[in-house]
PDB file of all heavy atoms in Angstrom:
ATOM      1  N   CYS A   1       8.533   7.753   6.140  1.00 60.00           N
ATOM      2  CA  CYS A   1       7.984   7.854   7.500  1.00 60.00           C
ATOM      3  C   CYS A   1       6.781   6.949   7.750  1.00 60.00           C
ATOM      4  O   CYS A   1       6.371   6.771   8.892  1.00 60.00           O
ATOM      5  CB  CYS A   1       7.595   9.304   7.790  1.00 60.00           C
ATOM      6  SG  CYS A   1       6.128   9.869   6.894  1.00 60.00           S
ATOM      7  N   LEU A   2       6.207   6.370   6.713  1.00 60.00           N
ATOM      8  CA  LEU A   2       5.039   5.486   6.820  1.00 60.00           C
ATOM      9  C   LEU A   2       3.845   6.199   7.467  1.00 60.00           C
ATOM     10  O   LEU A   2       3.010   5.578   8.119  1.00 60.00           O
ATOM     11  CB  LEU A   2       5.385   4.217   7.623  1.00 60.00           C
ATOM     12  CG  LEU A   2       6.581   3.403   7.115  1.00 60.00           C
ATOM     13  CD1 LEU A   2       6.765   2.160   7.977  1.00 60.00           C
ATOM     14  CD2 LEU A   2       6.419   3.029   5.663  1.00 60.00           C
ATOM     15  N   GLY A   3       3.742   7.507   7.253  1.00 59.00           N
ATOM     16  CA  GLY A   3       2.662   8.275   7.855  1.00 59.00           C
ATOM     17  C   GLY A   3       1.392   8.333   7.028  1.00 59.00           C
ATOM     18  O   GLY A   3       0.367   8.798   7.507  1.00 59.00           O
ATOM     19  N   CYS A   4       1.450   7.855   5.777  1.00 60.00           N
ATOM     20  CA  CYS A   4       0.270   7.950   4.899  1.00 60.00           C
ATOM     21  C   CYS A   4      -0.055   6.565   4.336  1.00 60.00           C
ATOM     22  O   CYS A   4       0.028   6.324   3.137  1.00 60.00           O
ATOM     23  CB  CYS A   4       0.512   8.957   3.773  1.00 60.00           C
ATOM     24  SG  CYS A   4       1.944   8.579   2.733  1.00 60.00           S
ATOM     25  N   ILE A   5      -0.436   5.674   5.215  1.00 55.00           N
ATOM     26  CA  ILE A   5      -0.664   4.272   4.865  1.00 55.00           C
ATOM     27  C   ILE A   5      -2.129   4.031   4.533  1.00 55.00           C
ATOM     28  O   ILE A   5      -3.029   4.564   5.173  1.00 55.00           O
ATOM     29  CB  ILE A   5      -0.239   3.358   6.036  1.00 55.00           C
ATOM     30  CG1 ILE A   5       1.277   3.451   6.265  1.00 55.00           C
ATOM     31  CG2 ILE A   5      -0.663   1.922   5.789  1.00 55.00           C
ATOM     32  CD1 ILE A   5       2.112   2.961   5.113  1.00 55.00           C
ATOM     33  N   THR A   6      -2.368   3.199   3.528  1.00 61.00           N
ATOM     34  CA  THR A   6      -3.705   2.694   3.258  1.00 61.00           C
ATOM     35  C   THR A   6      -3.655   1.173   3.253  1.00 61.00           C
ATOM     36  O   THR A   6      -2.636   0.580   2.882  1.00 61.00           O
ATOM     37  CB  THR A   6      -4.251   3.212   1.917  1.00 61.00           C
ATOM     38  OG1 THR A   6      -5.618   2.805   1.764  1.00 61.00           O
ATOM     39  CG2 THR A   6      -3.449   2.690   0.730  1.00 61.00           C
ATOM     40  N   LYS A   7      -4.703   0.543   3.694  1.00 60.00           N
ATOM     41  CA  LYS A   7      -4.766  -0.915   3.692  1.00 60.00           C
ATOM     42  C   LYS A   7      -4.915  -1.422   2.265  1.00 60.00           C
ATOM     43  O   LYS A   7      -5.663  -0.863   1.469  1.00 60.00           O
ATOM     44  CB  LYS A   7      -5.950  -1.411   4.532  1.00 60.00           C
ATOM     45  CG  LYS A   7      -5.798  -1.160   6.021  1.00 60.00           C
ATOM     46  CD  LYS A   7      -4.653  -1.984   6.601  1.00 60.00           C
ATOM     47  CE  LYS A   7      -4.531  -1.787   8.098  1.00 60.00           C
ATOM     48  NZ  LYS A   7      -3.384  -2.551   8.651  1.00 60.00           N
ATOM     49  N   SER A   8      -4.187  -2.490   1.968  1.00 62.00           N
ATOM     50  CA  SER A   8      -4.206  -3.038   0.615  1.00 62.00           C
ATOM     51  C   SER A   8      -4.427  -4.542   0.651  1.00 62.00           C
ATOM     52  O   SER A   8      -4.224  -5.200   1.677  1.00 62.00           O
ATOM     53  CB  SER A   8      -2.884  -2.736  -0.103  1.00 62.00           C
ATOM     54  OG  SER A   8      -1.796  -3.344   0.579  1.00 62.00           O
ATOM     55  N   LYS A   9      -4.829  -5.089  -0.489  1.00 53.00           N
ATOM     56  CA  LYS A   9      -5.102  -6.520  -0.577  1.00 53.00           C
ATOM     57  C   LYS A   9      -3.834  -7.333  -0.793  1.00 53.00           C
ATOM     58  O   LYS A   9      -3.831  -8.539  -0.593  1.00 53.00           O
ATOM     59  CB  LYS A   9      -6.111  -6.781  -1.701  1.00 53.00           C
ATOM     60  CG  LYS A   9      -7.478  -6.167  -1.417  1.00 53.00           C
ATOM     61  CD  LYS A   9      -8.462  -6.419  -2.542  1.00 53.00           C
ATOM     62  CE  LYS A   9      -9.801  -5.746  -2.241  1.00 53.00           C
ATOM     63  NZ  LYS A   9     -10.777  -5.924  -3.355  1.00 53.00           N
ATOM     64  N   THR A  10      -2.763  -6.663  -1.214  1.00 62.00           N
ATOM     65  CA  THR A  10      -1.481  -7.347  -1.403  1.00 62.00           C
ATOM     66  C   THR A  10      -0.473  -6.793  -0.407  1.00 62.00           C
ATOM     67  O   THR A  10      -0.623  -5.677   0.097  1.00 62.00           O
ATOM     68  CB  THR A  10      -0.958  -7.151  -2.836  1.00 62.00           C
ATOM     69  OG1 THR A  10      -0.819  -5.749  -3.098  1.00 62.00           O
ATOM     70  CG2 THR A  10      -1.907  -7.761  -3.847  1.00 62.00           C
ATOM     71  N   LYS A  11       0.558  -7.568  -0.142  1.00 59.00           N
ATOM     72  CA  LYS A  11       1.577  -7.144   0.817  1.00 59.00           C
ATOM     73  C   LYS A  11       2.527  -6.130   0.179  1.00 59.00           C
ATOM     74  O   LYS A  11       2.880  -6.238  -0.993  1.00 59.00           O
ATOM     75  CB  LYS A  11       2.361  -8.350   1.328  1.00 59.00           C
ATOM     76  CG  LYS A  11       1.552  -9.268   2.234  1.00 59.00           C
ATOM     77  CD  LYS A  11       2.439 -10.321   2.867  1.00 59.00           C
ATOM     78  CE  LYS A  11       1.626 -11.291   3.730  1.00 59.00           C
ATOM     79  NZ  LYS A  11       0.959 -10.605   4.845  1.00 59.00           N
ATOM     80  N   ASP A  12       2.932  -5.169   0.994  1.00 60.00           N
ATOM     81  CA  ASP A  12       3.897  -4.165   0.575  1.00 60.00           C
ATOM     82  C   ASP A  12       5.300  -4.751   0.751  1.00 60.00           C
ATOM     83  O   ASP A  12       5.645  -5.261   1.818  1.00 60.00           O
ATOM     84  CB  ASP A  12       3.714  -2.913   1.443  1.00 60.00           C
ATOM     85  CG  ASP A  12       4.785  -1.878   1.185  1.00 60.00           C
ATOM     86  OD1 ASP A  12       5.338  -1.866   0.076  1.00 60.00           O
ATOM     87  OD2 ASP A  12       5.049  -1.079   2.102  1.00 60.00           O
ATOM     88  N   HIS A  13       6.118  -4.680  -0.287  1.00 65.00           N
ATOM     89  CA  HIS A  13       7.479  -5.224  -0.207  1.00 65.00           C
ATOM     90  C   HIS A  13       8.337  -4.458   0.794  1.00 65.00           C
ATOM     91  O   HIS A  13       9.334  -4.983   1.287  1.00 65.00           O
ATOM     92  CB  HIS A  13       8.131  -5.192  -1.591  1.00 65.00           C
ATOM     93  CG  HIS A  13       7.443  -6.048  -2.605  1.00 65.00           C
ATOM     94  ND1 HIS A  13       7.285  -7.419  -2.447  1.00 65.00           N
ATOM     95  CD2 HIS A  13       6.852  -5.749  -3.784  1.00 65.00           C
ATOM     96  CE1 HIS A  13       6.638  -7.914  -3.487  1.00 65.00           C
ATOM     97  NE2 HIS A  13       6.358  -6.925  -4.313  1.00 65.00           N
ATOM     98  N   HIS A  14       7.937  -3.231   1.102  1.00 62.00           N
ATOM     99  CA  HIS A  14       8.715  -2.410   2.025  1.00 62.00           C
ATOM    100  C   HIS A  14       8.489  -2.835   3.477  1.00 62.00           C
ATOM    101  O   HIS A  14       9.427  -2.889   4.270  1.00 62.00           O
ATOM    102  CB  HIS A  14       8.339  -0.936   1.838  1.00 62.00           C
ATOM    103  CG  HIS A  14       9.116   0.009   2.690  1.00 62.00           C
ATOM    104  ND1 HIS A  14      10.419   0.348   2.429  1.00 62.00           N
ATOM    105  CD2 HIS A  14       8.767   0.699   3.816  1.00 62.00           C
ATOM    106  CE1 HIS A  14      10.843   1.198   3.345  1.00 62.00           C
ATOM    107  NE2 HIS A  14       9.867   1.430   4.194  1.00 62.00           N
ATOM    108  N   THR A  15       7.245  -3.167   3.811  1.00 64.00           N
ATOM    109  CA  THR A  15       6.905  -3.497   5.201  1.00 64.00           C
ATOM    110  C   THR A  15       6.493  -4.953   5.402  1.00 64.00           C
ATOM    111  O   THR A  15       6.364  -5.407   6.521  1.00 64.00           O
ATOM    112  CB  THR A  15       5.754  -2.604   5.686  1.00 64.00           C
ATOM    113  OG1 THR A  15       4.610  -2.833   4.843  1.00 64.00           O
ATOM    114  CG2 THR A  15       6.132  -1.131   5.612  1.00 64.00           C
ATOM    115  N   ASN A  16       6.228  -5.658   4.295  1.00 66.00           N
ATOM    116  CA  ASN A  16       5.777  -7.050   4.316  1.00 66.00           C
ATOM    117  C   ASN A  16       4.447  -7.230   5.039  1.00 66.00           C
ATOM    118  O   ASN A  16       4.173  -8.266   5.627  1.00 66.00           O
ATOM    119  CB  ASN A  16       6.840  -7.973   4.940  1.00 66.00           C
ATOM    120  CG  ASN A  16       6.637  -9.423   4.525  1.00 66.00           C
ATOM    121  OD1 ASN A  16       6.222  -9.710   3.399  1.00 66.00           O
ATOM    122  ND2 ASN A  16       6.912 -10.353   5.431  1.00 66.00           N
ATOM    123  N   VAL A  17       3.626  -6.203   5.023  1.00 66.00           N
ATOM    124  CA  VAL A  17       2.262  -6.280   5.550  1.00 66.00           C
ATOM    125  C   VAL A  17       1.326  -5.712   4.487  1.00 66.00           C
ATOM    126  O   VAL A  17       1.755  -5.201   3.466  1.00 66.00           O
ATOM    127  CB  VAL A  17       2.104  -5.512   6.880  1.00 66.00           C
ATOM    128  CG1 VAL A  17       2.914  -6.165   7.973  1.00 66.00           C
ATOM    129  CG2 VAL A  17       2.504  -4.049   6.724  1.00 66.00           C
ATOM    130  N   ASN A  18       0.023  -5.810   4.775  1.00 65.00           N
ATOM    131  CA  ASN A  18      -0.960  -5.363   3.777  1.00 65.00           C
ATOM    132  C   ASN A  18      -1.183  -3.852   3.863  1.00 65.00           C
ATOM    133  O   ASN A  18      -2.274  -3.369   4.160  1.00 65.00           O
ATOM    134  CB  ASN A  18      -2.285  -6.114   3.966  1.00 65.00           C
ATOM    135  CG  ASN A  18      -2.144  -7.575   3.584  1.00 65.00           C
ATOM    136  OD1 ASN A  18      -1.650  -8.382   4.371  1.00 65.00           O
ATOM    137  ND2 ASN A  18      -2.565  -7.899   2.378  1.00 65.00           N
ATOM    138  N   ASN A  19      -0.126  -3.127   3.590  1.00 70.00           N
ATOM    139  CA  ASN A  19      -0.162  -1.672   3.588  1.00 70.00           C
ATOM    140  C   ASN A  19       0.474  -1.142   2.311  1.00 70.00           C
ATOM    141  O   ASN A  19       1.376  -1.774   1.739  1.00 70.00           O
ATOM    142  CB  ASN A  19       0.637  -1.080   4.766  1.00 70.00           C
ATOM    143  CG  ASN A  19      -0.061  -1.260   6.091  1.00 70.00           C
ATOM    144  OD1 ASN A  19      -1.285  -1.376   6.144  1.00 70.00           O
ATOM    145  ND2 ASN A  19       0.707  -1.280   7.163  1.00 70.00           N
ATOM    146  N   LYS A  20       0.019   0.016   1.868  1.00 68.00           N
ATOM    147  CA  LYS A  20       0.667   0.735   0.780  1.00 68.00           C
ATOM    148  C   LYS A  20       0.885   2.174   1.231  1.00 68.00           C
ATOM    149  O   LYS A  20       0.032   2.764   1.904  1.00 68.00           O
ATOM    150  CB  LYS A  20      -0.198   0.736  -0.489  1.00 68.00           C
ATOM    151  CG  LYS A  20      -0.481  -0.644  -1.063  1.00 68.00           C
ATOM    152  CD  LYS A  20       0.741  -1.252  -1.722  1.00 68.00           C
ATOM    153  CE  LYS A  20       0.383  -2.570  -2.415  1.00 68.00           C
ATOM    154  NZ  LYS A  20       1.565  -3.234  -2.992  1.00 68.00           N
ATOM    155  N   ARG A  21       2.019   2.737   0.847  1.00 69.00           N
ATOM    156  CA  ARG A  21       2.315   4.134   1.157  1.00 69.00           C
ATOM    157  C   ARG A  21       1.703   5.000   0.056  1.00 69.00           C
ATOM    158  O   ARG A  21       2.080   4.886  -1.107  1.00 69.00           O
ATOM    159  CB  ARG A  21       3.821   4.337   1.239  1.00 69.00           C
ATOM    160  CG  ARG A  21       4.498   3.549   2.352  1.00 69.00           C
ATOM    161  CD  ARG A  21       5.997   3.501   2.182  1.00 69.00           C
ATOM    162  NE  ARG A  21       6.367   2.728   0.993  1.00 69.00           N
ATOM    163  CZ  ARG A  21       7.616   2.588   0.555  1.00 69.00           C
ATOM    164  NH1 ARG A  21       8.602   3.170   1.196  1.00 69.00           N
ATOM    165  NH2 ARG A  21       7.867   1.873  -0.525  1.00 69.00           N
ATOM    166  N   ILE A  22       0.786   5.879   0.441  1.00 68.00           N
ATOM    167  CA  ILE A  22       0.086   6.687  -0.559  1.00 68.00           C
ATOM    168  C   ILE A  22       1.060   7.593  -1.299  1.00 68.00           C
ATOM    169  O   ILE A  22       0.940   7.790  -2.505  1.00 68.00           O
ATOM    170  CB  ILE A  22      -1.050   7.496   0.103  1.00 68.00           C
ATOM    171  CG1 ILE A  22      -2.150   6.523   0.569  1.00 68.00           C
ATOM    172  CG2 ILE A  22      -1.628   8.531  -0.852  1.00 68.00           C
ATOM    173  CD1 ILE A  22      -3.265   7.170   1.346  1.00 68.00           C
ATOM    174  N   CYS A  23       2.062   8.127  -0.600  1.00 64.00           N
ATOM    175  CA  CYS A  23       2.994   9.045  -1.251  1.00 64.00           C
ATOM    176  C   CYS A  23       3.963   8.329  -2.181  1.00 64.00           C
ATOM    177  O   CYS A  23       4.547   8.957  -3.071  1.00 64.00           O
ATOM    178  CB  CYS A  23       3.772   9.851  -0.214  1.00 64.00           C
ATOM    179  SG  CYS A  23       4.992   8.882   0.714  1.00 64.00           S
ATOM    180  N   LYS A  24       4.154   7.033  -2.000  1.00 64.00           N
ATOM    181  CA  LYS A  24       5.182   6.304  -2.754  1.00 64.00           C
ATOM    182  C   LYS A  24       4.559   5.347  -3.761  1.00 64.00           C
ATOM    183  O   LYS A  24       4.795   5.456  -4.967  1.00 64.00           O
ATOM    184  CB  LYS A  24       6.073   5.533  -1.778  1.00 64.00           C
ATOM    185  CG  LYS A  24       7.299   4.918  -2.422  1.00 64.00           C
ATOM    186  CD  LYS A  24       8.314   5.967  -2.804  1.00 64.00           C
ATOM    187  CE  LYS A  24       9.616   5.321  -3.304  1.00 64.00           C
ATOM    188  NZ  LYS A  24      10.592   6.357  -3.726  1.00 64.00           N
ATOM    189  N   GLU A  25       3.786   4.350  -3.285  1.00 73.00           N
ATOM    190  CA  GLU A  25       3.118   3.436  -4.212  1.00 73.00           C
ATOM    191  C   GLU A  25       1.947   4.120  -4.914  1.00 73.00           C
ATOM    192  O   GLU A  25       1.554   3.745  -6.003  1.00 73.00           O
ATOM    193  CB  GLU A  25       2.631   2.184  -3.496  1.00 73.00           C
ATOM    194  CG  GLU A  25       3.727   1.177  -3.150  1.00 73.00           C
ATOM    195  CD  GLU A  25       4.540   1.543  -1.931  1.00 73.00           C
ATOM    196  OE1 GLU A  25       3.955   2.034  -0.944  1.00 73.00           O
ATOM    197  OE2 GLU A  25       5.774   1.354  -1.971  1.00 73.00           O
ATOM    198  N   GLY A  26       1.396   5.138  -4.272  1.00 58.00           N
ATOM    199  CA  GLY A  26       0.314   5.935  -4.848  1.00 58.00           C
ATOM    200  C   GLY A  26       0.853   7.279  -5.283  1.00 58.00           C
ATOM    201  O   GLY A  26       2.050   7.390  -5.563  1.00 58.00           O
ATOM    202  N   PRO A  27       0.013   8.316  -5.304  1.00 88.00           N
ATOM    203  CA  PRO A  27      -1.349   8.323  -4.771  1.00 88.00           C
ATOM    204  C   PRO A  27      -2.385   7.599  -5.627  1.00 88.00           C
ATOM    205  O   PRO A  27      -3.497   7.374  -5.190  1.00 88.00           O
ATOM    206  CB  PRO A  27      -1.677   9.821  -4.681  1.00 88.00           C
ATOM    207  CG  PRO A  27      -0.844  10.448  -5.734  1.00 88.00           C
ATOM    208  CD  PRO A  27       0.437   9.662  -5.758  1.00 88.00           C
ATOM    209  N   VAL A  28      -1.977   7.216  -6.875  1.00 90.00           N
ATOM    210  CA  VAL A  28      -2.935   6.541  -7.750  1.00 90.00           C
ATOM    211  C   VAL A  28      -2.793   5.027  -7.600  1.00 90.00           C
ATOM    212  O   VAL A  28      -1.693   4.477  -7.715  1.00 90.00           O
ATOM    213  CB  VAL A  28      -2.735   6.948  -9.221  1.00 90.00           C
ATOM    214  CG1 VAL A  28      -3.725   6.202 -10.119  1.00 90.00           C
ATOM    215  CG2 VAL A  28      -2.907   8.457  -9.391  1.00 90.00           C
ATOM    216  N   PHE A  29      -3.926   4.367  -7.348  1.00 88.00           N
ATOM    217  CA  PHE A  29      -3.968   2.913  -7.194  1.00 88.00           C
ATOM    218  C   PHE A  29      -5.068   2.333  -8.089  1.00 88.00           C
ATOM    219  O   PHE A  29      -6.053   3.010  -8.402  1.00 88.00           O
ATOM    220  CB  PHE A  29      -4.297   2.521  -5.753  1.00 88.00           C
ATOM    221  CG  PHE A  29      -3.272   2.906  -4.738  1.00 88.00           C
ATOM    222  CD1 PHE A  29      -3.362   4.104  -4.048  1.00 88.00           C
ATOM    223  CD2 PHE A  29      -2.194   2.060  -4.450  1.00 88.00           C
ATOM    224  CE1 PHE A  29      -2.424   4.471  -3.108  1.00 88.00           C
ATOM    225  CE2 PHE A  29      -1.240   2.414  -3.513  1.00 88.00           C
ATOM    226  CZ  PHE A  29      -1.354   3.619  -2.825  1.00 88.00           C
ATOM    227  N   ASP A  30      -4.905   1.068  -8.426  1.00 86.00           N
ATOM    228  CA  ASP A  30      -6.017   0.299  -8.976  1.00 86.00           C
ATOM    229  C   ASP A  30      -7.011   0.105  -7.827  1.00 86.00           C
ATOM    230  O   ASP A  30      -6.643  -0.335  -6.737  1.00 86.00           O
ATOM    231  CB  ASP A  30      -5.500  -1.057  -9.467  1.00 86.00           C
ATOM    232  CG  ASP A  30      -6.579  -1.896 -10.140  1.00 86.00           C
ATOM    233  OD1 ASP A  30      -7.751  -1.829  -9.728  1.00 86.00           O
ATOM    234  OD2 ASP A  30      -6.246  -2.638 -11.068  1.00 86.00           O
ATOM    235  N   ALA A  31      -8.266   0.452  -8.064  1.00 88.00           N
ATOM    236  CA  ALA A  31      -9.269   0.379  -7.000  1.00 88.00           C
ATOM    237  C   ALA A  31      -9.382  -1.014  -6.405  1.00 88.00           C
ATOM    238  O   ALA A  31      -9.761  -1.157  -5.238  1.00 88.00           O
ATOM    239  CB  ALA A  31     -10.618   0.849  -7.524  1.00 88.00           C
ATOM    240  N   LYS A  32      -9.072  -2.039  -7.176  1.00 88.00           N
ATOM    241  CA  LYS A  32      -9.158  -3.403  -6.678  1.00 88.00           C
ATOM    242  C   LYS A  32      -8.097  -3.723  -5.639  1.00 88.00           C
ATOM    243  O   LYS A  32      -8.222  -4.705  -4.911  1.00 88.00           O
ATOM    244  CB  LYS A  32      -9.053  -4.398  -7.843  1.00 88.00           C
ATOM    245  CG  LYS A  32     -10.243  -4.403  -8.773  1.00 88.00           C
ATOM    246  CD  LYS A  32     -10.098  -5.505  -9.828  1.00 88.00           C
ATOM    247  CE  LYS A  32     -11.352  -5.655 -10.670  1.00 88.00           C
ATOM    248  NZ  LYS A  32     -11.625  -4.470 -11.491  1.00 88.00           N
ATOM    249  N   GLU A  33      -7.059  -2.882  -5.559  1.00 85.00           N
ATOM    250  CA  GLU A  33      -5.970  -3.130  -4.626  1.00 85.00           C
ATOM    251  C   GLU A  33      -6.191  -2.511  -3.250  1.00 85.00           C
ATOM    252  O   GLU A  33      -5.508  -2.850  -2.290  1.00 85.00           O
ATOM    253  CB  GLU A  33      -4.651  -2.589  -5.212  1.00 85.00           C
ATOM    254  CG  GLU A  33      -4.124  -3.387  -6.383  1.00 85.00           C
ATOM    255  CD  GLU A  33      -3.783  -4.822  -5.982  1.00 85.00           C
ATOM    256  OE1 GLU A  33      -3.065  -4.997  -4.974  1.00 85.00           O
ATOM    257  OE2 GLU A  33      -4.246  -5.742  -6.651  1.00 85.00           O
ATOM    258  N   VAL A  34      -7.137  -1.584  -3.153  1.00 77.00           N
ATOM    259  CA  VAL A  34      -7.338  -0.818  -1.931  1.00 77.00           C
ATOM    260  C   VAL A  34      -8.461  -1.413  -1.100  1.00 77.00           C
ATOM    261  O   VAL A  34      -9.515  -1.794  -1.624  1.00 77.00           O
ATOM    262  CB  VAL A  34      -7.661   0.653  -2.266  1.00 77.00           C
ATOM    263  CG1 VAL A  34      -7.919   1.441  -0.993  1.00 77.00           C
ATOM    264  CG2 VAL A  34      -6.524   1.273  -3.058  1.00 77.00           C
ATOM    265  N   MET A  35      -8.241  -1.495   0.211  1.00 66.00           N
ATOM    266  CA  MET A  35      -9.271  -1.959   1.136  1.00 66.00           C
ATOM    267  C   MET A  35      -9.886  -0.742   1.820  1.00 66.00           C
ATOM    268  O   MET A  35      -9.225  -0.053   2.595  1.00 66.00           O
ATOM    269  CB  MET A  35      -8.683  -2.914   2.176  1.00 66.00           C
ATOM    270  CG  MET A  35      -8.128  -4.204   1.570  1.00 66.00           C
ATOM    271  SD  MET A  35      -7.350  -5.286   2.803  1.00 66.00           S
ATOM    272  CE  MET A  35      -8.762  -5.716   3.807  1.00 66.00           C
TER     273      MET A  35
END
């Protein structure tokens, strides 16, 4: 649903924009990847 998006420094392959889905790519991220 793309309802839990966080801005990221790299493009998401799912949306091709600088977003990451917290429920899918996260909830754990490398801090350097999150804006």
Side-chain angles (χ1 to χ4, degrees):
C1 72
L2 305 182
C4 58
I5 295 296
T6 186
K7 292 294 183 182
S8 62
K9 295 179 182 178
T10 58
K11 290 188 183 298
D12 173 26
H13 297 301
H14 183 75
T15 60
N16 201 35
V17 294
N18 291 81
N19 287 334
K20 298 287 186 184
R21 297 166 293 176
I22 292 175
C23 71
K24 189 71 173 178
E25 284 79 40
V28 179
F29 295 93
D30 184 326
K32 291 185 173 65
E33 289 297 310
V34 178
M35 296 177 65

